[in-house]
Amino acid sequence: MARSSQTQMAVLGGLSIEPMTAYALREAIRDVLGHFWSESFGQIYPTLQTLEEEGHVRRREGPRARSSVFEITGSGTARLIELLTEPIRGTPPRDGLLLRLFFGRTLGRERCRGLLEAARDTALKNLQGYESLQTQLSAQEGDTPDWPFIEVTIRAGIHHSRATIAWADESLAALGDPAGHPEPEEPQP
Amino acid sequence: MARSSQTQMAVLGGLSIEPMTAYALREAIRDVLGHFWSESFGQIYPTLQTLEEEGHVRRREGPRARSSVFEITGSGTARLIELLTEPIRGTPPRDGLLLRLFFGRTLGRERCRGLLEAARDTALKNLQGYESLQTQLSAQEGDTPDWPFIEVTIRAGIHHSRATIAWADESLAALGDPAGHPEPEEPQP
DNA sequence: GCAAGCATGTAAAAGGTTACATGATTCA
DNA sequence: TGAATCATGTAACCTTTTACATGCTTGC
């Protein structure tokens, strides 16, 4: 029972906004929740089947041959609330960037700087993405009851990106400017 | 071949700082890398066996009967550098808090506020932990060649915690003060 | 003598990704 | 007509956690 309640949460949540095909659901999860969630086909299809058997979603004929549009049922909404109320199951942390930086003495200062610069660039791009998303969606959806909650998740991305940029800049300064003196003398004796 | 290069990285990295038993290695990973990495016994023991077969670590008699201290070999150091240089394999994001907040209309505003308050509290506790760790370790290890890199990882935690606190405060304000008006009338019809 | 913690390992199960196989539809 | 995209589903594989089984050592 309960094939990955985490996936069920995302699937039921998606369908709670709008009925769609499994394919569209995966695209919606990738495009809309992509900054903090992901699901693959291999999870979505079996989960939809389970949810259908349990009566939490209903399958209707889709716009094409052999395609199905899924919609959430009353019991599905109840199940969604139940899942959303469950305690958050935290994934054990696995940050490949920090692991590499931690062993920076072995990896080498220059390569660490490279990693930090790449992280900074990525964070900057993400930040710009979040900001334009916020502007765009607030115009489009600013009046819907979902908007305040959606905006909270976008602002999480904004805060996180800004923190990453500030941290990377600070760290690049701490690891020394390579220009002129690739391995600077220890500043403090 | 290459049983989880990620685990190998953490294991070889740990042993590159100091030879130890598998048990101690797990404790070190939990206590020192715990803020951004984790490994379980079920990963560490088989990985050490593989690394031993490949000649990347050497097993010595430990301080107790039936216990082994592992130390990294020359080829192990080379392998570690190779692993650290590999592109970072990003785990697909799965943030249970943001998922719940995204579906906040269904979950309910009050429960969302509760989640945000809990997140804020946790971040505050983490922040204090990072700050005292920084003070403590900078006195202890401030002169070692590893310290600048270790500090980078601690400062990542500090920046991230501060961002979480600021975001949670902002979001709590945005989701409305519950005092006086638990479920404010819909502002827009 | 016994409890807590050190120490080693294995097996089963969960959770998830990737690749594959298949076919319909749209559009250039 | 052929490529891109929509669409469904399965199977194999990988990683990782959890639980279990076992025994030594230290300190009270």
Side-chain angles (χ1 to χ4, degrees):
Chain A
M1 205 183 299
R3 167 189 284 280
S4 175
S5 49
Q6 303 252 103
T7 297
Q8 285 200 357
M9 208 190 307
V11 164
L12 287 172
L15 296 181
S16 81
I17 288 175
E18 190 180 15
M20 37 189 151
T21 65
Y23 186 90
L25 188 55
R26 189 260 191 158
E27 295 220 307
I29 291 173
R30 174 174 26 75
D31 297 342
V32 185
L33 312 183
H35 295 302
F36 56 88
W37 203 262
S38 78
E39 296 291 349
S40 58
F41 281 135
Q43 291 278 101
I44 290 175
Y45 282 101
T47 297
L48 278 169
Q49 276 167 20
T50 306
L51 287 171
E52 190 186 15
E53 282 159 25
E54 294 171 349
H56 296 325
V57 305
R58 196 170 17 234
R59 187 190 295 250
R60 295 218 179 282
E61 226 174 77
R64 297 174 165 219
R66 254 168 286 277
S67 83
S68 316
V69 168
F70 293 90
E71 64 182 25
I72 195 168
T73 63
S75 89
T77 302
R79 173 80 175 129
L80 174 57
I81 293 173
E82 195 182 299
L83 288 169
L84 292 173
T85 312
E86 270 182 11
I88 294 170
R89 178 152 45 100
T91 345
R94 233 118 200 272
D95 185 319
L97 172 60
L98 291 185
L99 189 65
R100 283 164 178 78
L101 292 174
F102 189 91
F103 299 121
R105 177 175 52 84
T106 303
L107 179 58
R109 184 178 289 231
E110 272 320 299
R111 281 201 249 246
C112 287
R113 292 182 56 86
L115 290 174
L116 283 165
E117 276 158 11
R120 192 191 176 285
D121 287 354
T122 303
L124 193 59
K125 250 171 219 129
N126 288 344
L127 178 60
Q128 287 161 356
Y130 290 129
E131 281 173 342
S132 72
L133 191 68
Q134 191 183 26
T135 309
Q136 187 200 319
L137 285 188
S138 110
Q140 256 176 50
E141 320 236 349
D143 293 333
T144 68
D146 277 320
W147 174 242
F149 302 102
I150 295 175
E151 198 182 19
V152 163
T153 68
I154 297 176
R155 274 203 315 254
I158 290 176
H159 277 275
H160 188 265
S161 302
R162 284 200 192 127
T164 300
I165 293 167
W167 163 75
D169 284 339
E170 203 178 292
S171 301
L172 282 165
L175 291 187
D177 192 331
H181 45 102
E183 283 298 331
E185 313 280 306
E186 297 295 329
Q188 298 91 253
Chain B
M1 204 182 299
R3 167 188 282 281
S4 175
S5 50
Q6 304 251 105
T7 297
Q8 284 200 359
M9 207 189 309
V11 164
L12 287 172
L15 296 181
S16 81
I17 288 174
E18 191 179 16
M20 40 190 149
T21 64
Y23 187 89
L25 189 55
R26 188 261 192 155
E27 295 219 307
I29 291 173
R30 176 177 19 78
D31 298 342
V32 184
L33 312 183
H35 294 302
F36 57 86
W37 203 261
S38 78
E39 295 291 349
S40 59
F41 281 133
Q43 291 278 96
I44 290 175
Y45 281 101
T47 297
L48 279 169
Q49 277 167 18
T50 305
L51 287 172
E52 192 186 14
E53 283 157 25
E54 294 171 348
H56 296 325
V57 304
R58 195 168 19 233
R59 187 190 295 251
R60 295 216 178 284
E61 225 173 76
R64 299 174 163 218
R66 256 170 284 275
S67 83
S68 315
V69 169
F70 292 90
E71 64 182 25
I72 194 168
T73 64
S75 88
T77 303
R79 174 82 175 127
L80 174 57
I81 292 174
E82 195 183 299
L83 289 169
L84 291 173
T85 312
E86 269 181 10
I88 294 170
R89 182 162 31 114
T91 345
R94 232 119 200 273
D95 186 319
L97 173 61
L98 291 186
L99 189 66
R100 282 164 179 79
L101 292 173
F102 189 92
F103 299 121
R105 178 175 52 85
T106 304
L107 179 57
R109 184 178 290 232
E110 272 321 298
R111 281 202 249 246
C112 287
R113 293 183 56 88
L115 289 175
L116 283 165
E117 276 158 11
R120 192 190 176 286
D121 288 354
T122 303
L124 193 58
K125 252 172 217 130
N126 288 344
L127 178 60
Q128 287 160 355
Y130 290 129
E131 280 172 342
S132 71
L133 191 67
Q134 190 182 28
T135 309
Q136 188 200 318
L137 285 187
S138 109
Q140 259 175 49
E141 320 235 350
D143 293 333
T144 68
D146 277 320
W147 174 242
F149 302 101
I150 295 175
E151 199 182 19
V152 163
T153 67
I154 297 177
R155 275 202 316 254
I158 290 176
H159 278 276
H160 188 265
S161 302
R162 284 201 193 125
T164 300
I165 293 167
W167 163 74
D169 283 339
E170 202 178 293
S171 301
L172 282 165
L175 291 187
D177 191 333
H181 44 102
E183 281 300 329
E185 311 282 305
E186 296 297 328
Q188 298 91 250

